[in-house]
Amino acid sequence: MNARAVLLPPLLAIAAALLLCSIALMISGGNPLEAFAAMIAQVGRGTTAVDIVNTGSTYYLAALAVAIGFQMKLFNIGVEGQYKIAAIIAMVAGGSVVLPPVLHTLFVLVVAVLVGALWAAIPAILKITRGVNEVISTIMLNAVATGIAAYLIQDSVFGELRGNNLGTPLVAESGRVPGLSLGEAGTVFGLVVLAVLAGAGYWVLMNRTRFGFELRASGESATAATAGGVNAKKMILVAMLLSGGIAGLVAMPELLGRDYTYTLNFPAAYGFTGIAVALLGRNHPVGIAFGALLWAFLDKSSVALENVGVPKEIVTIMQGSIVLSVVVAYEVVRRITLAAEQRKVGQQLGTTDEVAA
């Protein structure tokens, strides 16, 4: 892949997003230069930089879970439900036992992975046995997971009332993961390392193993993969299990590094954000990392914009513009690259005929 195909799409996407947001800012009466300057300046204030890294690690895990499905041409929109059900059950399990340090943490993480994988197995089995579209089944299961979480957190089940909030039992000190304190700049979650390791494992799996090759081949053409001896149905099941397992880890950096309990006001929509970040990163672990940090940066920019009199909804416009611009930019560059390759082949064959892109 040449440099133009790699670098041009994100550059075009960023330029288009900045243009669209500048127009929106001017329409709303804001100054684009002042707004963008405020967004950049806020990174160096208080704990913003650390908050971006911490939030980015959560987005990164969610995007990896989505990306595994994308590699198989599966749209696992159920990451939202998978991380929720895994988070609450892992917290209930982790808060109900006391184990030696490290072992306690590993216990919580394993429970989260298993629950996420088992929840993802439901749409996978429905797809390979009954042909049920995974988008429909995972959307429905998101609602079911939210309902189950609401039931489990009741004070008559596993919930405990602390102040004005309900939460699962607190995880003991032995199960918590200490972070890296940077003084007044904040504390980086200890499980940020987990996101890094997950990204490295994802890259090795997809690019250095036979399984990764078969997974991508099945996504490109299930018929061709089957003819080559690959069990496409098995690959769908395994891909969804892996996706669900990673989804189960999404909430762990926050829960084991700061909250130690799953409460009623635990942040939602991480799974849906993961879809956008995976699209931004084009399913590549490094691209996803940049996408996750960019999304977290934009999330934190809303306060800075309000301080200069700019509506915080501009951030939402910018996030949507970036995703849309990336999708369009990659398609435009793909067509340009294809046309250039066809012209080159035509010249080598001594013909001026060109195939339309």
Side-chain angles (χ1 to χ4, degrees):
M1 186 178 293
N2 56 42
R4 180 175 66 179
V6 174
L7 298 177
L8 190 55
L11 291 177
L12 287 175
I14 292 173
L18 288 175
L19 176 61
L20 291 172
C21 289
S22 296
I23 294 173
L25 283 166
M26 288 187 288
I27 292 174
S28 66
N31 184 326
L33 294 179
E34 182 181 7
F36 294 144
M39 291 170 65
I40 295 173
Q42 53 106 27
V43 176
R45 300 194 187 107
T47 63
T48 302
V50 170
D51 291 341
I52 289 173
V53 173
N54 288 338
T55 304
S57 66
T58 300
Y59 291 166
Y60 187 70
L61 288 170
L64 282 182
V66 175
I68 291 174
F70 279 167
Q71 294 283 7
M72 185 71 188
K73 296 297 187 291
L74 294 172
F75 196 4
N76 181 15
I77 204 171
V79 170
E80 180 72 14
Q82 290 153 19
Y83 93 78
K84 281 184 180 179
I85 196 76
I88 190 167
I89 292 179
M91 285 296 98
V92 168
S96 301
V97 300
V98 177
L99 299 171
V102 179
L103 182 61
H104 194 168
T105 303
L106 289 176
F107 169 72
V108 175
L109 294 177
V110 169
V111 170
V113 169
L114 290 177
V115 173
L118 289 174
W119 197 253
I122 299 173
I125 293 172
L126 289 174
K127 184 177 182 65
I128 62 180
T129 60
R130 292 292 181 266
V132 178
N133 186 282
E134 73 278 3
V135 174
I136 296 174
S137 58
T138 51
I139 287 176
M140 295 176 69
L141 284 169
N142 283 344
V144 175
T146 300
I148 292 176
Y151 169 75
L152 293 178
I153 207 171
Q154 292 183 89
D155 55 1
S156 59
V157 188
F158 294 110
E160 297 178 354
L161 185 61
R162 287 185 288 275
N164 294 321
N165 200 5
L166 276 173
T168 59
L170 286 170
V171 174
E173 290 282 350
S174 57
R176 302 175 184 180
V177 180
L180 175 62
S181 177
L182 299 179
E184 294 182 356
T187 300
V188 179
F189 291 149
L191 285 182
V192 165
V193 177
L194 178 64
V196 175
L197 293 176
Y202 168 80
W203 183 86
V204 171
L205 180 70
M206 292 300 166
N207 297 281
R208 290 293 183 268
T209 66
R210 178 178 177 179
F211 171 80
F213 171 78
E214 292 179 346
L215 185 71
R216 288 182 281 109
S218 299
E220 291 297 329
S221 174
T223 303
T226 301
V230 178
N231 188 330
K233 290 186 176 182
K234 177 184 176 182
M235 297 307 294
I236 290 174
L237 177 61
V238 175
M240 287 297 289
L241 289 175
L242 285 174
S243 181
I246 296 297
L249 295 173
V250 167
M252 293 300 106
E254 289 186 31
L255 293 177
L256 293 182
R258 184 190 62 198
D259 300 335
Y260 317 122
T261 178
Y262 184 99
T263 64
L264 285 173
N265 57 7
F266 186 81
Y270 285 156
F272 299 121
T273 299
I275 296 172
V277 173
L279 288 171
L280 286 178
R282 303 295 291 180
N283 301 329
H284 190 284
V286 177
I288 291 173
F290 281 112
L293 291 174
L294 174 61
W295 206 271
F297 162 75
L298 292 174
D299 278 348
K300 302 302 176 185
S301 297
S302 59
V303 175
L305 290 177
E306 285 188 318
N307 291 337
V308 295
V310 176
K312 64 180 180 179
E313 287 75 18
I314 290 296
V315 170
T316 304
I317 295 175
M318 186 174 294
Q319 289 172 331
S321 299
I322 290 174
V323 174
L324 180 61
S325 300
V326 164
V327 173
V328 173
Y330 271 99
E331 180 60 21
V332 169
V333 172
R334 185 193 70 81
R335 294 192 177 196
I336 293 174
T337 303
L338 180 60
E341 292 174 350
Q342 290 171 340
R343 285 194 297 270
K344 184 177 180 181
V345 171
Q347 292 171 356
Q348 292 174 345
L349 294 177
T351 176
T352 57
D353 292 338
E354 297 180 2
V355 180

